[in-house]
Amino acid sequence: PLLKREGGYVSHKNDRGGSTNHGVTQANYTRWLTKHGKQWADVRELTKRDATLIYRENYWIPSKCDALPDAVRDIHFDGAVNHGVSRANKLLQAAVGVSQDGVIGSKTLAAVAGMDGRLVRARLLNERYRFYTAIVNRDRSQFDFLVGWLNRLAEFS
């Protein structure tokens, strides 16, 4: 579902992340290629297979998705890809009422486990809606993306 949601190659003048393919920015793709001893390549050449590997290595594992309940895992993973791991972690921490340091540790996991997964999901959706609204309020050029962001979140409702 995430690959479908992210789509293929996109280059929008107001996208702060620059050109993306399958939701992976050129900068993230370049870092991943370098880390794995591969030559630089244009993000347009990114395959779905490599995008999946990047998602797992750079987003799924660092955002501790394996440790989260099913009700929360997909929306948190989507947030890690869309907002970055630290921001997604902070939004989850805000949703469960713990200190927002951007690192999922034992306190965050305990808070998540202590709540009904559906409630965590609803609260995380709310945090993400608020985050998108704050982006647009700070920078009107980002309004171009608001409908897409809201449609993205509607898939999790």
Side-chain angles (χ1 to χ4, degrees):
L2 184 62
L3 277 172
K4 182 180 176 189
R5 193 169 24 259
E6 288 293 347
Y9 178 77
V10 177
S11 182
H12 189 287
K13 65 182 172 88
N14 289 334
D15 189 340
R16 295 178 185 163
S19 299
T20 63
N21 194 5
H22 307 299
V24 177
T25 65
Q26 179 67 60
N28 284 334
Y29 186 42
T30 299
R31 276 192 291 278
W32 183 80
L33 288 168
T34 301
K35 181 178 177 182
H36 291 278
K38 299 180 181 190
Q39 285 190 318
W40 184 92
D42 191 297
V43 74
R44 291 175 223 226
E45 299 172 27
L46 176 66
T47 64
K48 286 184 179 181
R49 180 185 177 281
D50 283 351
T52 300
L53 293 172
I54 291 168
Y55 283 156
R56 178 153 185 77
E57 185 177 318
N58 293 358
Y59 303 99
W60 182 269
I61 292 170
S63 63
K64 303 278 176 47
C65 289
D66 282 334
L68 297 173
D70 288 342
V72 179
R73 189 176 290 146
D74 62 344
I75 188 172
H76 181 60
F77 175 55
D78 181 80
V81 170
N82 195 236
H83 310 306
V85 172
S86 179
R87 172 62 60 199
N89 289 350
K90 288 177 182 177
L91 294 172
L92 177 61
Q93 290 168 328
V96 297
V98 297
S99 177
Q100 297 172 42
D101 64 1
V103 178
I104 302 295
S106 58
K107 289 180 182 177
T108 303
L109 292 173
V112 170
M115 294 175 71
D116 182 291
R118 294 168 301 172
L119 178 59
V120 175
R121 184 181 186 90
R123 291 177 69 167
L124 183 52
L125 267 170
N126 184 56
E127 291 297 328
R128 289 188 65 190
Y129 276 114
R130 290 174 45 170
F131 180 69
Y132 287 133
T133 302
I135 290 172
V136 173
N137 284 337
R138 277 192 315 272
D139 181 353
R140 291 293 183 189
S141 74
Q142 299 305 291
F143 187 78
D144 292 351
F145 307 107
L146 187 59
V147 170
W149 292 336
L150 297 180
N151 287 339
R152 180 184 197 111
L153 290 184
E155 293 182 32
F156 296 101
S157 297

